[in-house]
Amino acid sequence: MNLRAEVAGCLVFAALLAGPAAAQPAGANYDEAKVPNYLLPGLLKLKNGEPVKDAATWNRRRRQEVLALFQEHVYGRSPGRPRHMRFELTSLEKQALGGKAVRKEVTVRFSDKPDAPAMHLLIYLPAGAARPVPVFLGLNFGGNHAVNADPGIRLGEVWTRGEAGKPGVKRPATVESRGSASGRWQVEKVLEKGYGLATGYYCDIEPDFDGGLPYSVRSLFLRAGRKAPEADEWGAIGAWAWGLSRALDYLETDRDVDAGKVAVMGHSRLGKTALWAAAQDTRFAMVISNDSGEGGAALSRRRFGETIRDLNTRFPHWFCLNYRKYNDREDEAPFDQHMLIALAAPRPVYVASAQEDLWADPRGEFLAAVNAGPVFELLGKQGLGTDQMPPVHQPIMNSVGYHIRAGKHDVTAYDWDQFLAFADKHLKGR
Ligand code: GCU
């Protein structure tokens, strides 16, 4: 990409965004003029320097090299499926949501140990579907009962995130919090379009604070004598992504679900998680990143908004320890986030940004999607097809899709309308 053209484009963009910048965390760079020039690591070159000229070389060799970079330096290596996993159907309601949905609740037990973490899945499927349906799968922040006001959803326990270095605590979920995140989930819209929705509470897999390891699935896999994972082993994002794969293991056993058409979706830290889940687990047929920002869809080298140091300082439990080597040294990283998006290829990937979400660097999210394009093209698909950021509310829906909407860091009905249109185009009728 022509960096000078890029800088000029950024200035226009900065002017457009100047207003809302004040609402973002202080101390970060929100000035496009201060984004340094950068050179992204090449995707289509093998470690030994040879060019990647065909799909076979990407699939057999380069893809593995790129995946290994993220395993070693960013999210850490994760184990496979546990040997003693069990699925328990704990509730089934065929007349949920006024007859519009079948609601299932399934507990995924990761281990035989009675006090081991277990993930509770909430699944809505359109009532009366004639055949197995494609499904959106994503982790939620507030507990399954927060996803919809449906009084039949199990009220579980929720974790606080802890404050000022203090660990989080677990509490029973309150009746009042039922449906509190329903704006983010748009269950009815999803069902109307003929899709199912499956979700689990991310803290079932690992609660979200530094020191949550004893309550995490990660503790089930510590090698004898070790109190913490090694520097290249999984952090919490790796654990959450692993949980998504375990949810897919369940969905593969559910005859009402078309498990070959599962779109993994996530917002913010869980958008980082969705991208990483899809990169590792090619059973996911599509991936959607919503406002995932630094360590997700956004290019780290751009140094706009959040940085690698910010992530490692504020959320020391999210990434593998090796990631800290790149605090203030983004340019030395053998990876950048366009390579993570490329790991989805040739499966469709959608990146969504919000105009006021400067901390997540919307332009950096867009440019990562742009720069993943050559891999999609090598595999016979279409990248974004432009390096000009589209105006708000003008989605692009090639195999790589992108939109920026007005407003703040969130998931809205507008976002879901685009995810559904993108899935209609690339997943449903395939
Ligand atoms: C913080 C964090 C981001 C993250 C976001 C979220 O803002 O710095 O990296 O994406 O939280 O998950 O809500």
Side-chain angles (χ1 to χ4, degrees):
M1 178 169 303
N2 176 333
L3 279 180
R4 244 173 255 151
E6 142 96 325
V7 169
C10 292
L11 289 175
V12 174
F13 181 69
L16 284 172
L17 293 176
Q24 301 294 316
N29 174 42
Y30 298 116
D31 181 353
E32 283 292 344
K34 293 198 181 129
V35 172
N37 280 346
Y38 58 86
L39 197 61
L40 294 178
L43 263 168
L44 294 182
K45 201 197 260 181
L46 289 163
K47 240 157 96 181
N48 68 10
E50 284 170 33
V52 177
K53 289 198 192 132
D54 50 54
T57 311
W58 169 265
N59 289 329
R60 292 202 207 115
R61 297 173 66 191
R62 182 59 179 155
R63 186 178 192 285
Q64 195 46 45
E65 288 182 359
V66 173
L67 184 64
L69 290 173
F70 285 97
Q71 286 169 328
E72 187 177 337
H73 301 280
V74 185
Y75 309 102
R77 292 173 215 288
S78 305
R81 180 185 165 126
R83 272 207 284 155
H84 299 288
M85 188 164 58
R86 282 198 324 274
F87 309 125
E88 291 164 13
L89 180 71
T90 57
S91 80
L92 173 63
E93 169 57 69
K94 294 194 171 164
Q95 296 289 322
L97 305 179
K100 283 190 221 139
V102 173
R103 184 191 63 235
K104 300 184 190 187
E105 292 178 300
V106 172
T107 298
V108 179
R109 299 213 174 273
F110 301 120
S111 150
D112 282 343
K113 290 187 198 153
D115 55 346
M119 170 173 65
H120 304 284
L121 294 177
L122 166 68
I123 301 162
Y124 283 111
L125 301 168
R131 59 182 67 86
V133 293
V135 163
F136 287 88
L137 167 68
L139 297 175
N140 66 72
F141 283 104
N144 293 347
H145 66 284
V147 164
N148 192 279
D150 179 352
I153 303 173
R154 166 186 176 274
L155 263 191
E157 289 171 311
V158 287
W159 285 87
T160 63
R161 287 185 182 163
E163 262 165 45
K166 289 214 187 108
V169 290
K170 192 157 77 166
R171 300 196 178 116
T174 61
V175 177
E176 294 71 42
S177 58
R178 283 193 179 282
S180 55
S182 57
R184 285 190 172 180
W185 288 96
Q186 304 290 324
V187 175
E188 285 82 357
K189 230 183 231 297
V190 171
L191 292 169
E192 255 163 48
K193 287 276 202 163
Y195 295 87
L197 181 84
T199 183
Y201 176 43
Y202 80 138
C203 294
D204 283 356
I205 306 162
E206 172 159 342
D208 192 1
F209 54 88
D210 187 20
L213 187 65
Y215 317 100
S216 166
V217 293
R218 291 193 287 150
S219 65
L220 299 174
F221 292 89
L222 286 174
R223 250 163 296 170
R226 280 204 59 93
K227 291 214 167 56
E230 311 265 2
D232 66 346
E233 287 179 338
W234 55 346
I237 290 177
W240 297 325
W242 182 90
L244 285 165
S245 285
R246 303 294 70 85
L248 182 53
D249 292 339
Y250 164 73
L251 293 173
E252 285 188 327
T253 70
D254 189 323
R255 276 182 291 161
D256 299 329
V257 169
D258 183 347
K261 291 185 182 169
V262 174
V264 60
M265 174 272 172
H267 169 60
S268 210
R269 68 198 69 183
L270 296 177
K272 309 182 209 300
T273 301
L275 286 169
W276 180 229
Q280 296 175 96
D281 190 339
T282 54
R283 294 175 301 165
F284 288 113
M286 180 176 133
V287 52
I288 300 164
S289 147
N290 193 80
D291 303 355
S292 63
E294 186 75 11
L299 292 175
S300 299
R301 279 169 172 73
R302 262 179 49 82
R303 307 230 190 122
F304 185 103
E306 189 169 28
T307 64
I308 292 180
R309 175 181 287 285
D310 292 324
L311 281 173
N312 284 325
T313 308
R314 298 172 63 226
F315 308 101
H317 56 297
W318 282 5
F319 294 84
C320 76
L321 298 181
N322 279 340
Y323 196 44
R324 299 179 188 183
K325 291 188 195 158
Y326 304 103
N327 286 352
D328 309 318
R329 308 177 91 121
E330 286 85 350
D331 287 312
E332 289 166 36
F335 57 85
D336 210 317
Q337 300 307 111
H338 63 307
M339 301 164 90
L340 179 67
I341 295 175
L343 288 171
R347 298 163 294 161
V349 49
Y350 196 83
V351 175
S353 305
Q355 195 181 22
E356 292 175 32
D357 188 18
L358 299 190
W359 180 240
D361 187 12
R363 188 172 178 84
E365 295 177 321
F366 170 75
L367 288 172
V370 170
N371 283 287
V375 173
F376 285 81
E377 279 146 25
L378 186 75
L379 302 181
K381 303 286 176 183
Q382 243 189 315
L384 276 181
T386 177
D387 58 8
Q388 297 302 306
M389 200 154 165
V392 288
H393 305 155
Q394 291 195 23
I396 302 173
M397 297 213 180
N398 297 333
S399 288
V400 184
Y402 178 82
H403 77 240
I404 178 164
R405 66 157 168 78
K408 61 183 176 53
H409 189 72
D410 200 358
V411 198
T412 67
Y414 175 86
D415 295 318
W416 274 104
D417 285 337
Q418 312 322 311
F419 304 158
L420 287 162
F422 189 69
D424 278 354
K425 182 161 178 194
H426 293 289
L427 195 61
K428 207 171 196 182
R430 207 190 52 195

